[in-house]
Amino acid sequence: MYMWGLKIAAKVLPISKPTLFIGKDALKQLCHSVSIMGINKVLIVSDQGIVKLGFVKKLMFEFERVGVHCHVYSDVEPDPTYDHVEQGLALFRQQHCQAVVAIGGGSPIDCAKVIAACATNNKPVQRLVGLLKVWKAPAPTFVLPTTSGTGSEVTVAAVVSDPKTHAKTPVMDPKLVPIAAALDPSLMLALPAHITAQTGMDALTHAIEAYLSGNATLETDRYAIAAIRLIDENLPKAVSFGQNATARQNMALASYYAGLAFTKASLGYVHAIAHTLGAKYGTPHGLANAVVLPHVLEFSKSATQERLAVLADLLELTNSHVSDSIKAQAFIDYIRDLQGRLDLPTHFEHILHEHISELAKQSLHEARWNYPVPRYMQQHECEQLILALANPK
């Protein structure tokens, strides 16, 4: 009944889409858009890696050129905590900023979205965690993704971590969707191959879990299918030829579509387990998704056979006349083959056997009240799956 309620809510709650600028001049277009809204002072939220690449300096130059003054908070780290939000918020208030602009991967974008929410709601981060706790519209938020994976530029969620427990805590509200996003391939050309692979698999996982979700609709299916097609055609190219601007732009669009899909359809056990591994071991989120994905697809196959068969036909993996069972297995084999082509691992040596029971418990707890999965998993089944992640065949 709870999942049914979530499905109804996803259909009736108005969820806006950001104005989208795409292409080699997208950064300039976004800066111009901010300036004509009467905004003259912004807080740029980023991390040191993006600063070193010169992207923050480039963004500041374009803002200053159109008369928008900038202040920079660039101390965001992977899996940002409440402390990062509070530090950025203090600078936002101290400098009397009017808007927040995020440039970077999912971590700076999520941090920026929560800073913007705290700026107008006068609540500590802890009181915004959960569903529909952002009562007032956040400060205007604009994003420039430098990776193609999280879809944070379009989603209603932002994930920040409790600095004491290291638990990842989501803030979820339609008001968190940014006003505008710039998908500029020039910001992605320097992304290393292994990060390109991991973030690309993150986007693919978003699309697949949304497509297999009990809350999937015709709308979310269209976005998921578009994302899967684009990733199949462009991710290997982006990994092998990082300077391929067309592949980079297509991957950015795929991430955007996957974000639109899972914002309404939600996710599944892959993300629940990946989040748990990230909290316990610091496993990069995209990498965790990539390794966990085929195992969860195998577990869910009996309940998703027809849907997986559609995806196999979409990618022309088998003869169209074979059974759905064969097609479903072909799609799972395709995911494993893609892992190999992208030079991704198939297991994690850092998973300790004495942690497996608790990892499974935490994963199931996250999934139970958040994800409309196609087949429910019991404790012993989740433990066996995580054990398989720790032991290569």
Side-chain angles (χ1 to χ4, degrees), residues 80-82 85 110-111 114 125 129 158-162 167-171:
T81 68
Y82 301 167
V85 173
D110 280 0
C111 187
V114 181
V125 182
V129 169
V159 179
V160 288
S161 298
D162 186 319
K168 294 188 176 184
T169 54
V171 180

Side-chain angles (χ1 to χ4, degrees), residues 150 211 261:
T150 68
Y211 188 75

Side-chain angles (χ1 to χ4, degrees), residues 16-260:
S16 62
K17 299 180 180 70
T19 298
L20 192 63
F21 303 104
I22 186 167
K24 63 179 182 179
D25 292 323
L27 182 148
K28 293 181 180 180
Q29 292 171 348
L30 183 138
C31 292
H32 178 257
S33 179
V34 172
S35 72
I36 62 176
M37 290 182 185
I39 296 170
N40 53 42
K41 189 178 290 188
V42 301
L43 176 71
I44 295 175
V45 178
S46 192
D47 59 47
Q48 286 300 309
I50 299 301
V51 171
K52 291 176 182 176
L53 287 171
F55 294 157
V56 171
K57 185 177 181 180
K58 178 180 179 180
L59 180 60
M60 291 178 67
F61 173 82
E62 289 299 333
F63 268 133
E64 296 290 346
R65 192 175 63 84
V66 294
V68 177
H69 301 294
C70 305
H71 297 278
V72 179
Y73 174 64
S74 59
D75 291 334
V76 179
E77 297 177 357
D79 299 323
T81 68
Y82 301 167
D83 294 338
H84 294 109
V85 173
E86 294 294 343
Q87 291 165 15
L89 179 63
L91 184 58
F92 180 94
R93 288 174 171 163
Q94 178 187 342
Q95 299 299 333
H96 305 288
C97 295
Q98 299 163 290
V100 181
V101 180
I103 180 168
S107 293
I109 295 175
D110 280 0
C111 187
K113 288 162 76 172
V114 181
I115 289 171
C118 288
T120 56
N121 284 270
N122 294 317
K123 294 180 181 179
V125 182
Q126 296 92 322
R127 291 181 57 197
L128 293 178
V129 169
L131 183 63
L132 303 178
K133 301 287 185 68
V134 182
W135 294 350
K136 296 181 181 180
T141 308
F142 305 86
V143 298
L144 299 97
T146 59
T147 64
S148 301
T150 68
S152 294
E153 67 275 8
V154 71
T155 64
V156 300
V159 179
V160 288
S161 298
D162 186 319
K164 296 180 180 178
T165 66
H166 305 293
K168 294 188 176 184
T169 54
V171 180
M172 296 179 290
D173 196 291
K175 300 182 192 71
L176 288 180
V177 176
I179 290 177
L183 306 184
D184 192 326
S186 69
L187 300 177
M188 304 171 188
L189 299 178
L191 199 66
H194 71 286
I195 302 298
T196 301
Q198 293 174 21
T199 54
M201 289 299 292
D202 189 15
L204 181 60
T205 303
H206 291 156
I208 293 172
E209 290 207 298
Y211 188 75
L212 300 180
S213 166
N215 284 2
T217 65
L218 287 176
E219 178 190 6
T220 62
D221 282 354
R222 292 188 187 102
Y223 289 131
I225 286 172
I228 292 167
R229 276 191 168 130
L230 285 168
I231 292 167
D232 173 64
E233 295 169 0
N234 293 280
L235 180 54
K237 295 177 185 176
V239 171
S240 298
F241 308 101
Q243 295 296 308
N244 186 325
T246 300
R248 292 291 191 184
Q249 182 169 304
N250 286 335
M251 281 302 303
L253 190 59
S255 178
Y256 176 81
Y257 283 149
L260 289 174

Side-chain angles (χ1 to χ4, degrees), residues 5-23:
L6 285 181
K7 187 171 186 175
I8 297 300
K11 287 185 176 181
V12 301
L13 279 177
I15 300 177
S16 62
K17 299 180 180 70
T19 298
L20 192 63
F21 303 104
I22 186 167

